Amino acid sequence: MEKIMMKGNEALAEGAIRAGCRFFAGYPITPQNEVPEYMSRRMPEVDGVFLQAESEVSAINMVYGAGGAGCRAMTSSSSPGISLKQEGISYIACAQVPCVIVNVARGGPGLGGLTSSQADYFQATKGGGHGDYRLIVFSPGTVQEMVDLIGLAFDKADEYRNPAMILSDAIMGQMMEPVVLPEMRDLQQINKPWATTGMKNRGQNLINSLGLLPEDLVRINQELQEKYKRIEANEVRYAVEDVDDADLVLVAYGTSSRIARSAMGLARKEGKKVGLLRPITLWPFPKQPLADLAAAGKRFLVVEMSVGQMVEDVILAVNDRSKVDFFGVPNGAVPTVRQVYNRIMEIL
Amino acid sequence: MKLQELTEKPDLFTGGHRACAGCGFPILIRLVMSVVDTPVVVGAATGCLSVTTALYPYSSWRVPFIHNAFENAAATISGVEAAYCTFKRRGRLNTEIRFIAFGGDGGTYDIGLQSLSGTMERGHRILYICYDNGAYANTGIQRSSATPRGANTTTTPVGKKSYGKIRPRKNLTYIMADHGIPYVAQAAISHWRDLMTKTKKALETEGPSFINVMAPCRLSWGNNPQETVDLVEEAVNSCCWPLFEVENGKWRLNFKPKTKTPYHHWLRRQTRFRHLFHPTENEELIQDLQAEVDRNWEELLSRCQ
């Protein structure tokens, strides 16, 4: 398999195309511009559609339309733009239309800044818009995972008829690493019998996000919640490193997991028994593995590029069985390996 | 207005900002701000303007300045104006204050159009100025609905099968005129006296006003910095960017070039149109673009009779 150097955002875009994405709607915002720019060149080559919308609101609703028509559709943006998309995402979640939304996150709140951030964790994993809904949220830790996880995101979105999100960040989107690209997916293999493609010889397909009658809305929500339970049971993904003998387990995802891994290496050199658990799906969250580690007597240090969001989910999973510490930085800053290392040494 | 008087006026918009050499909008803003002779509040959409002139604690503005997201400069300034009217009505304020909002073409033609339209329809006494450089320059030169047909941008890339942007530009000045507001104008940084007169008229208008100003981004147009103003003059002379105003529904042409220069003269000077001439000249398309300019010009002349 040939390895090539690619920028995170471009690798993600190519990964999406190879996963069968043939519809992209975007809008300019830094630091994700490479995604629409790449798509504007690449989509015509694969007979796909690139549309630049006049706003993020329009882009997500174009995806709603294309996804409903049975196309593998996606949009990308960065934090303030993802906020604008929330109404559309909520409608899509209710209507159970599969699609992929990419957030190359930057610092907030407000217009914030252009530096990397993990402060959109709550927005990504707790619904984001109005109503009781969830996205399947993937967190890439390498440029290779940008490619791999966007393919998986499209598959899982289709499997569960649910929007999926890639929660990346400015560093992950802008850095270059070697990647191996997968083969082009055979579009004939992607079947969406529920899609609204014209009735012809079948019964009516319906895509709807309105339940004005109370009993209808209850039924819609029950159906969604049952689906979310299935996703929680089957789709938890995470990676562990050196946890077996560890006294302290670092919990971090995406960019901060790379910083945590380096700090773990320094601490190991000092003879400190430190491990790492890296959630790959942020929703569903790896609650059980954390509970098991807590039951085995491990302590935890959660490392985030925010003032503390995922740490709440870790505390819930650990449920007082062990101690959970936190190291985070306010948006604008990226933690250094030394800072995390010092925090580890304070604890151990 | 005399040039002498201008030099004696305090600079409300100062140098030292971070806009590129040869950027159009700082020229526009200096001209506009030099007309202001009452206290003024300036609002701005996100864009090159906000990130180069107002990165707190650094600021080029010697007036109160409010910046908000990409899509709502007009909404924000209408909130400020509405609060001012309330204070005035209650007798808490008795100074005359003017309100000006600036937005680029992305934040005005595209994502900010809804907020701008609402502001104009509600009748706030504000002046909205669009600095039109025909692209999302701040994010790396993506196409906007103000990008001229045929331009190469990062989201309308030129290749074997594409000559760049295939859609013609949206005529925002007409759209604003159709709001039936008391003052709408189109201006250019090359015709400074015309721009300043229009600004003065707009500020004196009791109601909403809008001015659309051509102000190049030399990174996306691909011109030498010293040619920026000259290039705008060429656009005006080619009639692709006519100077006109609509005052209480009456259309008036403010400038008619002695000789209308061919549109391709203007295109040729910008790298975003280089592919129309190199390696071979796309004569058919260039003729088509010229015909579009001619058609629009004739149509405008008929409105201005």
Side-chain angles (χ1 to χ4, degrees), chain A residues 311-328:
Chain A
V311 64
E312 293 187 6
D313 284 337
V314 177
I315 289 169
L316 280 173
V318 168
N319 198 14
D320 279 345
R321 276 172 289 221
S322 178
K323 198 162 173 357
V324 178
D325 282 297
F326 175 72
F327 179 80

Side-chain angles (χ1 to χ4, degrees), chain A residues 229-264:
Chain A
K229 279 196 190 111
R230 285 205 311 281
I231 298 173
E232 281 193 287
N234 299 318
E235 302 304 338
V236 172
R237 283 173 173 76
Y238 63 98
V240 285
E241 293 170 43
D242 297 335
V243 291
D244 290 345
D245 70 335
D247 299 318
L248 177 72
V249 174
L250 307 179
V251 187
Y253 66 95
T255 298
S256 62
S257 72
R258 299 167 70 112
I259 299 162
R261 184 181 296 110
S262 300
M264 176 177 86

Side-chain angles (χ1 to χ4, degrees), chain A residues 290-312:
Chain A
L290 282 163
D292 294 345
L293 288 170
K298 322 274 183 199
R299 289 183 65 166
F300 298 92
L301 173 62
V302 181
V303 181
E304 290 182 77
M305 295 192 308
S306 72
V307 292
Q309 299 196 5
M310 181 178 72
V311 64
E312 293 187 6

Side-chain angles (χ1 to χ4, degrees), chain A residues 153-217:
Chain A
F154 274 107
D155 288 345
K156 292 300 164 189
D158 277 358
E159 186 180 333
Y160 292 98
R161 284 190 57 188
N162 202 68
M165 175 175 271
I166 302 286
L167 184 57
S168 168
D169 63 54
I171 291 176
M172 212 52 83
Q174 296 296 320
M175 73 181 184
M176 293 183 87
E177 275 184 341
V179 286
V180 176
L181 294 169
E183 293 298 312
M184 275 285 185
R185 203 73 68 86
D186 179 6
L187 296 182
Q188 302 301 322
Q189 302 296 317
I190 302 169
N191 287 317
K192 307 201 184 195
W194 51 265
T196 48
T197 52
M199 265 175 66
K200 294 170 203 136
N201 299 318
R202 59 161 170 77
Q204 186 191 39
N205 282 346
L206 182 67
I207 292 172
N208 181 29
S209 83
L210 180 67
L212 277 185
L213 292 174
E215 55 270 32
D216 284 349
L217 192 55

Side-chain angles (χ1 to χ4, degrees), chain B residues 188-260:
Chain B
I189 54 168
S190 51
H191 295 65
W192 57 273
R193 194 186 289 272
D194 175 72
L195 169 59
M196 289 169 69
T197 310
K198 284 170 176 170
T199 306
K200 196 165 191 311
K201 272 191 186 179
L203 289 172
E204 283 166 2
T205 301
E206 288 187 18
S209 52
F210 173 85
I211 308 178
N212 201 1
V213 188
M214 180 181 263
C217 160
R218 71 167 202 87
L219 293 183
S220 55
W221 293 28
N223 59 280
N224 291 324
Q226 67 271 28
E227 288 178 12
T228 295
V229 175
D230 194 43
L231 198 55
V232 175
E233 187 166 13
E234 176 112 51
V236 174
N237 286 334
S238 79
C239 299
C240 77
W241 189 263
L243 309 182
F244 64 95
E245 63 191 344
V246 187
E247 210 173 342
N248 297 315
K250 185 157 175 44
W251 291 64
R252 190 180 304 117
L253 191 69
N254 304 111
F255 177 80
K256 198 170 186 174
K258 284 192 189 79
T259 43
K260 192 173 158 202

Side-chain angles (χ1 to χ4, degrees), chain B residues 109 132-135 146-152 169 186-191 213-218 220-224 227-242 259-278 281 286 289-290 292-293 296:
Chain B
Y109 282 68
D132 182 344
N133 57 29
T147 305
R149 197 166 144 229
N152 184 19
R169 47 178 299 134
Q186 190 160 287
I189 54 168
S190 51
H191 295 65
V213 188
M214 180 181 263
C217 160
R218 71 167 202 87
S220 55
W221 293 28
N223 59 280
N224 291 324
E227 288 178 12
T228 295
V229 175
D230 194 43
L231 198 55
V232 175
E233 187 166 13
E234 176 112 51
V236 174
N237 286 334
S238 79
C239 299
C240 77
W241 189 263
T259 43
K260 192 173 158 202
T261 56
Y263 187 45
H264 68 87
H265 285 192
W266 184 68
L267 298 174
R268 248 177 238 281
R269 296 173 65 183
Q270 306 170 54
T271 55
R272 61 176 172 162
F273 298 113
R274 191 200 301 263
H275 57 283
L276 302 182
F277 305 97
H278 301 284
E281 199 156 314
I286 292 166
L289 295 175
Q290 179 68 56
E292 201 176 295
V293 171
N296 291 340

